[in-house]
Amino acid sequence: MTKTLHHWIGGRTVEGTSGTYGPVTDPATGAVTTRVAFAGAAEVDAAVASAKEAFAGWGRSSLATRTSVLFAFRALVDAHRDELARLITAEHGKVHSDALGEVARGLEIIDLACGIPVQLKGELSTEVASRVDVAAIRQPLGVVAGITPFNFPAMVPMWMFPLAIACGNTFVLKPSEKDPSASVRLAGLLAEAGLPDGVFNVVHGDRVAVDRLLEHPDVQAVSFVGSTPIARHIHTTAAAHGKRVQALGGAKNHMLVLPDADLDAAADAAVSAAYGSAGERCMAVSAVVAVGATGDELVRRIRERAEKVVIGPGHDPVSEMGPLITRAHRDKVASYVRGAAAQGAEVVLDGTGFTVDGYEDGHWIGISLLDRVPVTADAYRDEIFGPVLCVLRAETYEEGLALVNASPFGNGAAIFTRDGGAARRFQLEVEAGMVGVNVPIPVPVGYHSFGGWKDSLFGDHHIYGNDGTHFYTRGKVVTTRWPDPADTPAGVDLGFPRNH
Ligand code: NAD
């Protein structure tokens, strides 16, 4: 018996009227557990109307009112970490500890939002001319929308809405239709925290709902996180409709290992970052570039560790890696591994055909390790988004760097070395938005910003941190003169005003 998940509009559950539903599956069993209502234009319009109405009050609410709601929300998310993590595991498949980590990263952004008064402090210049002051303030935009991917069903929405709401906006979230329950639970916690009805809304669905958000005249800005082709579509379409837009796309993150690196540390990092969350992370390491003569030894150590990774259902505490999100995605990932040898790669570990006893219908795939992968191979060129690590070889640092920089993606990149000078060069020379030095997944903390370069981000703003506040507000500069009664009237002057 499957349950039905509805939209959340105006502070309450609202049943879908479009008559369209999508399946939500438990990736460990392959069973459909929920049917989720897909919004048509009418439901999206209702959510935007509710958010617009709520903006009249919320946009003018005091900072103290907003932060008191956010502090209460923070306490509730903290208290419900385990429940949220279980919801994530049931629909995404990632292991419980990983899901808990995702909630913790979301909490970081709520922390930041609780401190919004500091970020929203304006600027004041007194006496810029005689008795003239200039103040710069930032104000909310109005109704803003978030469209999020399946791989972080709680964290990525929390990259967006806490800051957007803290800045005084109202929000319409269109979460991934593959694992939508966490976002509805977060909506419930926001209501419990005292958020006024309509400030946060959730509509489910696919392209139909997204395209209505993109063209809706009352949506002022769109934040998107997902794959590169969709990010490009969101950026182009939202901008064509006059909206502010930030669209974060896919990735192929490289890890450059220099010959002087601590090879055990590098192998540990490569295995954790490549196979954690079954490779379904936008900051997963999917390509290791081994520089110099250490490649064979590095591959041996990676293999040794990868073979020991325990794969199983996410709710089982011994599992280190869970299943993939859908069967179709599992089959696509497997096809890259199966095609790799014919395209010139050495298949060191082949994870295809793997299954877990008692869970034969789950979306399983084992760990794959491909060595000496040619840059022309599909497994290297495409974002696979599964537990497949490609190793490439380079003779020198320069050759390795050129390889990294030739990638159309520029999300994260890491270097492993003991040489400070080489690491410093890499920081400056690599074309990526987030760089790790002996850190394989350099996801910035909440008070910095997250974002890639090139095909990994379309738009001018990274997400969260100061960029987040900037994205969700617009600037206004107020010039004021309070004349002294003793002043002689200036009289009419048609010349261009000058400060004196
Ligand atoms: P996706 O692009 O398929 O979907 C993302 C969102 O867009 C979902 O809400 C989906 O319903 C919607 N969508 C899908 N097709 C659409 C279409 N044709 N028109 C309009 N909307 C559409 O991504 P996904 O498979 O859910 O997530 C995985 C991808 O997200 C990977 O490429 C990963 O790298 C990327 N990602 C990037 C970051 C980042 O910070 N750069 C973070 C997480 C995930």
Side-chain angles (χ1 to χ4, degrees), residues 5-9 12-16 37-39 43 202-204:
L5 190 72
H6 300 289
H7 312 295
W8 178 274
I9 299 173
R12 62 185 185 86
T13 298
V14 172
E15 291 197 14
F38 275 18
E43 289 105 318
V202 182
V203 286
H204 304 289

Side-chain angles (χ1 to χ4, degrees), residues 146-152 155-156 159 174-179 205-211 214 224-231 233-234 247-252 280-283 325 329 383 385 409 411 434 450-452 456-457 463:
I147 299 151
T148 53
F150 81 81
N151 66 323
F152 287 107
M155 181 187 79
V156 171
W159 280 0
K174 206 302 284 173
S176 171
E177 68 279 23
K178 298 189 179 98
D179 46 14
D206 57 6
R207 182 176 184 151
V208 175
V210 172
D211 283 350
L214 297 181
F224 172 87
V225 176
S227 60
T228 289
I230 311 297
H233 163 68
I234 301 284
L248 281 69
K252 193 85 185 178
E280 290 174 325
R281 288 182 183 142
C282 64
M283 289 293 272
I325 184 72
H329 185 55
E383 180 187 40
F385 224 55
F409 300 104
N411 215 37
M434 294 167 284
F450 182 109
S456 296
L457 189 147
I463 210 157

